[in-house]
Amino acid sequence: MTIADLITTVTEGAVPMRVEAADGSVVGSSDEGLTLRLHTERALRYLITAPGDLGLARAYVSGELELVGAHPGDPYTALCALANWNFRRPPLSEFPALAQQLGVRNLLPPKPPPQEAPSRIRRAVNGLRHSRTRDSRAIGMHYDVSNTFYEYVLGPSMAYTCAVFDKPDTSLDDAQYEKFDLVARKLGLEPGMRLLDVGCGWGGMARHAARNYGVDVVAVTLSAEQAAWAKAETERVGLAEHVTIIHGDYRDSPGRDYDAVSSIGLLEHVGVANYAAYFELLRGKLRPGGRLLNHCITRPDNKTSPMPGAFIDRYVFPDGELTGAGRIIAEAQDAGFEVRHEENLREHYALTLMHWSANLVANWDACVAEVGLPTARVWGLYMAGSRLGFERNVVQLHQVLAINPHPSGEADFPLRPTW
C-alpha cells in the first residue's frame, strides 16, 4: 500500500489538496495551488501515531511536512482546506490489514520536536495544575520566548490581546488603541483614580490609562520578560511615577480599595475550577462601586470541556482553559459582582490575528533568526488556526463589565452606558 492509497482509504470524498508522499505516490489536485508534502517516512509516523492536530503539528514544526503554496508565517489558506478535509475512521474489520500493510515501525511514535511541552500528566512534576510553580512555567514557555520576536509580530502597541476595529480597514495600532480606550471608558476612569491591571502583559493598558486618563496604575504580570520590557518602556515614556510594574502572580497583587480592575487576557490561564477564587480576590481589591472589566477568549457554549486541543496545550498555552461567557458571568455573580454589560468581539479577534500573521510574514527572516525556524512555524500555525477558529465560531472573545456594589445596593453607575 502506498501512502497515497492510505490517504484515499481514510478520506471520505475528495482530497482537498495535492498530497506528495515520501514514497513518490501522489493523490489529490493542486487546482487550489496547495500541496501537502510529506518529506519523510517519519512525517507519516507522526500523523498515524497522533491523529488530529497534534500529529500534523509535530510533522509541520519539525519541517518534515510542508504546506507548499502557503507561507509558513501565515498558512491560513492551507488550514482552511485542511478544515474541509473529511476523514473517515476505518471499521475495526479493516484495522488488521491496514496495520500489516503499514508495518510495525509506522505504528511507533517518533520523539516529539523539542518545542513540545510535556503531557499534562508529566507536567505534574511541576505541581498541580494552576499551582503557582506550574503556572509560572506555563507562562514562561509562551510569553518569555523573546521580546524582540513579539515586537516584530505585535507591532508598536505590544498588545497581545484582541483589538477593537471601527471598520475592517482600521490599522492594527489604531485598533489596539481603541481596545485600551474602550476598556478605560467602560471602567469610567478619571484623573486621580487607582487602577489594578492584572495580567498586564507588556504594560499597554497601564500606560494608556496613566497617559490618557491621569490614573495611577499597579500592573502585574507573571512573565519575567514582559515585566522587564514593560518597566523599561514605562520609564522611557516618563510614566514611571504613575505606573508600577510588578513581576509576580496576580494572586499576590498588592493593595485594596482600587477604583477599577482590568483583566485583559488573564482568565484563560486561571483555570475554570479557580474562577470563584479569582473573582472573590478581585472583588476584594475593589472599593464599593468599583468596576471590573474582564476580557478573555471563550467558548461558544458552557458545556464543552475547558481543556484545549492537543496542539494548543502542547505548543502554545500549556494548562490553558476556556469556557463560555455564561459560566464566567455566573461565577462573577456568585462572587458578589453585579454584571452590567457583556460584549462579544469574536470577529475583531479574527482581524487582529490576520494582522499579526501579516507582521510575522513581513518579518519572517528576522523572526526565524530570533527564535529559530521551528518556533516561528509554531506561531504561524497557531495564529492562522486561531483566526480560522474565531471566524467559524469555534472560539469567541468576551468583555464582561461588573461592579462591586455598595452594601446598600448603590452601584455608582449611570442610567445608560457612557462609553
Side-chain angles (χ1 to χ4, degrees):
M1 174 182 281
T2 67
I3 295 175
D5 292 334
L6 173 64
I7 290 170
T8 301
T9 299
V10 299
T11 297
E12 187 174 294
V15 177
M17 63 177 67
R18 179 180 172 89
V19 180
E20 298 175 357
D23 63 359
S25 61
V26 176
V27 66
S29 168
S30 59
D31 290 346
E32 300 299 322
L34 296 169
T35 298
L36 188 154
R37 188 172 292 158
L38 300 172
H39 288 294
T40 65
E41 169 251 11
R42 183 182 177 91
L44 178 65
R45 290 171 60 199
Y46 276 134
L47 296 176
I48 291 172
T49 58
D53 61 356
L54 183 59
L56 174 69
R58 286 172 171 172
Y60 183 74
V61 170
S62 66
E64 296 180 56
L65 180 153
E66 186 179 0
L67 295 171
V68 182
H71 193 286
D74 186 13
Y76 172 77
T77 54
L79 294 185
C80 288
L82 287 170
N84 294 325
W85 197 329
N86 296 318
F87 291 98
R88 77 172 187 93
R89 182 178 179 84
L92 289 175
S93 60
E94 294 182 16
F95 271 87
L98 284 172
Q100 184 177 13
Q101 291 170 325
L102 286 170
V104 175
R105 176 176 172 77
N106 282 326
L107 300 178
L108 299 175
K111 184 178 179 180
Q115 290 73 27
E116 182 172 315
S119 67
R120 293 188 189 111
I121 294 175
R122 289 178 57 199
R123 280 179 230 150
V125 299
N126 298 321
L128 296 175
R129 190 165 64 245
H130 301 300
S131 65
R132 292 167 189 262
T133 299
R134 186 158 156 179
D135 275 355
S136 180
R137 286 179 178 268
I139 292 298
M141 174 181 169
H142 188 84
Y143 295 98
D144 291 347
V145 171
S146 160
N147 284 332
T148 300
F149 173 77
Y150 279 112
E151 288 172 355
Y152 287 130
V153 174
L154 304 181
S157 72
M158 283 298 277
Y160 193 31
T161 47
C162 175
V164 176
F165 293 80
D166 289 330
K167 49 188 178 179
D169 60 352
T170 297
S171 72
L172 177 61
D173 289 343
D174 286 347
Q176 290 292 13
Y177 181 99
E178 173 59 18
K179 183 266 302 295
F180 288 136
D181 208 63
L182 178 62
V183 172
R185 298 194 308 266
K186 286 182 175 180
L187 289 173
L189 296 184
E190 295 178 357
M193 283 186 170
R194 297 170 61 240
L195 169 69
L196 173 64
D197 184 32
V198 290
C200 70
W202 288 272
M205 179 65 206
R207 289 188 298 277
H208 185 96
R211 179 188 296 115
N212 296 286
Y213 287 86
V215 173
D216 289 324
V217 190
V218 173
V220 182
T221 175
L222 193 51
S223 164
E225 291 295 315
Q226 286 183 335
W229 194 98
K231 286 179 181 178
E233 180 66 9
T234 300
E235 291 173 0
R236 187 187 72 80
V237 299
L239 291 172
E241 183 179 348
H242 298 284
V243 176
T244 301
I245 304 292
I246 297 174
H247 172 221
D249 194 291
Y250 77 94
R251 288 165 283 200
D252 298 324
S253 299
R256 298 178 64 84
D257 292 324
Y258 288 95
D259 298 286
V261 174
S262 53
S263 177
I264 306 175
L266 171 62
L267 194 61
E268 298 93 330
H269 303 290
V270 167
V272 175
N274 297 321
Y275 280 9
Y278 165 85
F279 283 112
E280 287 171 5
L281 183 146
L282 295 186
R283 184 173 174 237
K285 296 293 180 182
L286 284 166
R287 64 165 175 81
R291 301 183 191 181
L292 164 68
L293 190 288
N294 194 91
H295 168 123
C296 71
I297 301 170
T298 62
R299 295 198 185 280
D301 62 66
N302 301 285
K303 58 188 178 181
T304 302
S305 168
M307 299 302 177
F311 166 62
I312 293 294
D313 184 61
R314 297 288 191 93
Y315 285 89
V316 185
F317 293 115
D319 293 335
E321 295 180 27
L322 302 178
T323 190
R327 176 71 182 272
I328 293 169
I329 289 172
E331 294 282 2
Q333 291 174 325
D334 289 347
F337 277 106
E338 180 183 6
V339 174
R340 283 290 181 141
H341 187 267
E342 176 277 329
E343 182 174 10
N344 185 357
L345 298 170
R346 174 170 68 86
E347 293 87 354
H348 295 257
Y349 218 154
L351 287 169
T352 304
L353 286 154
M354 180 185 72
H355 281 278
W356 290 343
S357 295
N359 286 345
L360 180 56
V361 170
N363 298 292
W364 180 252
D365 290 343
C367 287
V368 169
E370 181 67 23
V371 300
L373 180 58
T375 297
R377 280 175 171 262
V378 168
W379 256 251
L381 188 63
Y382 127 68
M383 291 194 299
S386 296
R387 173 187 169 188
L388 188 61
F390 282 104
E391 288 176 345
R392 298 195 175 190
N393 199 26
V394 176
V395 281
Q396 301 176 348
L397 187 289
H398 281 83
Q399 286 190 351
V400 175
L401 177 64
I403 289 177
N404 178 26
H406 290 266
S408 64
E410 292 291 328
D412 297 344
F413 201 81
L415 290 175
R416 297 300 298 154
T418 56
W419 56 85

